[in-house]
């Protein structure tokens, strides 16, 4: 059976899996992203864990797809990723090719999610859409005329590092202040909770939770129970996201915007204020036309499927080039 490997490198954990060409995950696992001091040791650990499920008698490996922060599609490198412990330029594709001997395609995690949405998810019949990933940070994958927008340098779609607060904004790992992801992400909403706790006197069960213990899932749970601070945190987060998405729409005129990742699992708590404020701030010619939809790949295997789909996408592009040559 021909298979690909999908790898999703996050700020906290790295997920991986062996995936059929139909998008079925045949084997999967995870390792901590930050456990190894050297990037080379991280790659060796990752390869070792993947090979446990890669039976050469059962599977023919055709390629590896990786979603990673600050991934350069053209060079196969991770470059100056703010949420990773390893600094500088990391030769991710070359290291994995040395371990497995097959082609490696890498892109940022949001682009991987967008390709997955296009091949296996809710964007199968769409040519123009955006995927927003809400995890430790915020990423964006932009698809225009059926193709991922990579940009001249391989870093297109870094919406999380556009600025929403120019004066006294929150510090971001990229070195700037006021970046969108410092407000809209799992980490961002935690920071918002603590600001609201300082600014309001209302009772909240979140007052007894330390920052390290707090999670987006916990904020969701308390918001559903009617906690004032938790509800306000989602309203604030959705307002910022919706306003920024209204700006983003004018760049590519998407049919839909898919929201993907842990924070999106809060459902209407995040979707309702996001939709309200996007619609409020849209340029008039776009009003009522842009759908905001939850990703159809919302499960534990979704990042793996998204990453593995990069291999399928590359095979299709290679075939098109051959036919056109």
């Amino acid at each position: 059976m021909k298979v690909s490997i999908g790898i999703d490198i996050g700020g906290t954990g790295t997920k991986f899996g062996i995936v059929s060409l139909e998008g079925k995950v045949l084997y999967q696992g995870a390792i901590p992203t930050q456990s190894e001091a050297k990037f080379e040791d991280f790659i060796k650990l990752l390869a070792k864990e993947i090979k446990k499920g890669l039976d050469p008698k059962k599977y023919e490996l055709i390629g590896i797809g990786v979603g990673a922060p600050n991934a350069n599609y053209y060079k196969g490198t991770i470059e100056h990723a703010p949420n990773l412990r390893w600094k500088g330029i990391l030769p991710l594709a070359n290291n994995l090719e040395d371990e497995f001997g097959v082609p490696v395609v890498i892109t940022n995690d949001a682009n991987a999610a967008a390709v997955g949405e296009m091949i296996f998810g809710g964007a199968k019949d769409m040519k123009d859409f955006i995927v927003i990933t809400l995890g430790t940070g915020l990423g964006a994958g932009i698809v225009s005329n059926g193709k991922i927008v990579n940009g001249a340098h391989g870093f297109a779609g870094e919406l999380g590092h556009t600025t929403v607060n120019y004066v006294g904004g929150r510090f971001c790992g990229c070195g700037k202040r006021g970046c969108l992801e410092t407000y809209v992400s799992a980490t961002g909403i935690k920071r918002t909770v603590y600001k609201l706790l300082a600014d309001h006197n209302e009772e909240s069960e979140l007052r007894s939770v330390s920052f390290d213990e707090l999670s987006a899932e916990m904020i969701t749970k308390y918001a559903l129970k009617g906690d004032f601070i938790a509800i306000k945190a989602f309203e604030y987060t959705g307002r910022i996201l919706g306003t920024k998405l209204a700006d983003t729409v004018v760049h590519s005129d998407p049919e839909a915007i898919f929201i993907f990742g842990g924070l999106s699992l809060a459902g209407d708590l995040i979707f309702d204020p996001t939709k309200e404020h996007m619609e409020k701030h849209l340029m008039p010619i776009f009003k009522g036309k842009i759908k905001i939809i939850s990703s159809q790949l919302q499960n534990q295997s979704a990042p793996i499927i998204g990453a593995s789909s990069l291999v399928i996408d590359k095979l299709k592009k290679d075939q098109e080039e051959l036919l056109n040559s």
Side-chain angles (χ1 to χ4, degrees):
M1 179 191 295
K2 290 184 178 181
V3 298
S4 61
I5 291 171
I7 301 171
D8 175 66
I9 300 176
T12 304
T14 294
K15 300 175 182 178
F16 59 85
I18 297 168
V19 186
S20 72
L21 300 190
E22 293 72 40
K24 181 180 180 181
V25 179
L26 307 169
Y27 175 86
Q28 64 181 306
I31 61 172
T33 301
Q34 311 282 16
S35 63
E36 304 299 319
K38 294 182 178 180
F39 181 69
E40 295 80 6
D41 292 336
F42 165 74
I43 292 295
K44 287 176 182 176
L45 175 61
L46 177 61
K48 178 183 175 183
E49 292 300 312
I50 292 172
K51 288 174 181 176
K52 288 180 180 179
L54 193 61
D55 186 345
K57 294 179 181 178
K58 291 173 61 178
Y59 305 130
E60 178 190 348
L61 181 62
I62 62 170
I64 298 173
V66 188
N70 283 39
N72 188 318
Y73 175 83
Y74 301 117
K75 296 180 180 178
T77 53
I78 295 175
E79 303 189 11
H80 311 290
N83 295 323
L84 297 182
R85 68 182 298 179
W86 313 289
K87 305 308 175 187
I89 298 175
L90 310 172
L92 177 60
N94 284 344
N95 286 358
L96 286 173
E97 285 170 2
D98 289 343
E99 289 284 348
F100 292 94
V102 294
V104 177
V105 186
I106 84 166
T107 190
N108 70 57
D109 54 350
N111 280 356
V115 174
E117 202 73 51
M118 185 164 49
I119 294 175
F120 298 118
K124 287 180 180 178
D125 299 318
M126 296 183 189
K127 288 190 173 181
D128 297 274
F129 65 94
I130 297 171
V131 171
I132 303 294
T133 58
L134 301 178
T136 305
L138 182 149
I142 301 168
V143 174
S144 180
N145 197 28
K147 296 181 179 180
I148 281 284
V149 177
N150 289 300
H153 307 100
F155 297 115
E158 287 292 346
L159 180 61
H161 297 287
T162 56
T163 306
V164 296
N165 189 346
Y166 291 91
V167 181
R170 296 174 182 177
F171 286 100
C172 181
C174 75
K176 292 171 54 185
R177 293 188 69 171
C179 289
L180 177 62
E181 74 170 35
T182 66
Y183 296 88
V184 184
S185 62
T187 308
I189 197 170
K190 287 173 59 176
R191 294 170 79 168
T192 295
V193 162
Y194 277 86
K195 181 184 185 303
L196 292 171
L197 287 170
D199 291 345
H200 294 272
N201 291 321
E202 280 81 0
E203 290 185 8
S204 171
E205 293 188 67
L206 295 173
R207 292 190 185 279
S208 62
V209 183
S210 72
F211 188 85
D212 288 341
E213 293 174 332
L214 187 62
S215 66
E217 292 81 7
M218 193 180 297
I219 300 167
T220 301
K221 181 181 77 172
Y222 285 122
L224 291 171
K225 290 171 63 177
D227 187 280
F228 175 84
I229 295 294
I231 291 171
K232 286 291 181 185
F234 275 109
E235 290 175 353
Y236 181 80
T237 303
R239 174 169 63 84
I240 292 175
L241 178 58
T243 303
K244 201 64 182 181
L245 290 181
D247 291 340
T248 303
V249 162
V250 301
H251 295 293
S252 64
D253 185 14
E255 179 179 343
I257 299 172
F258 292 86
I259 310 295
F260 177 90
L263 194 59
S264 69
L265 300 180
D268 291 344
L269 289 168
I270 188 70
F271 278 87
D272 286 351
T274 299
K275 291 175 182 177
E276 175 189 347
H277 289 282
M278 185 188 78
E279 201 64 34
K280 180 180 178 181
H281 293 282
L282 276 172
M283 185 180 177
I285 57 173
F286 293 110
K287 286 185 179 290
K289 297 177 181 177
I290 316 299
K291 296 174 284 189
I292 295 183
I293 309 170
S294 179
S295 168
Q296 288 190 12
L297 298 178
Q298 295 283 26
N299 59 61
Q300 288 296 101
S301 301
I304 297 168
I305 294 171
S308 71
S309 66
L310 295 169
V311 178
I312 298 172
D313 188 54
K314 186 177 187 305
L315 287 173
K316 287 182 178 179
K317 288 178 181 176
D318 290 346
Q319 288 172 352
E320 287 174 3
E321 288 179 5
L322 281 172
L323 289 172
N324 294 328
S325 62

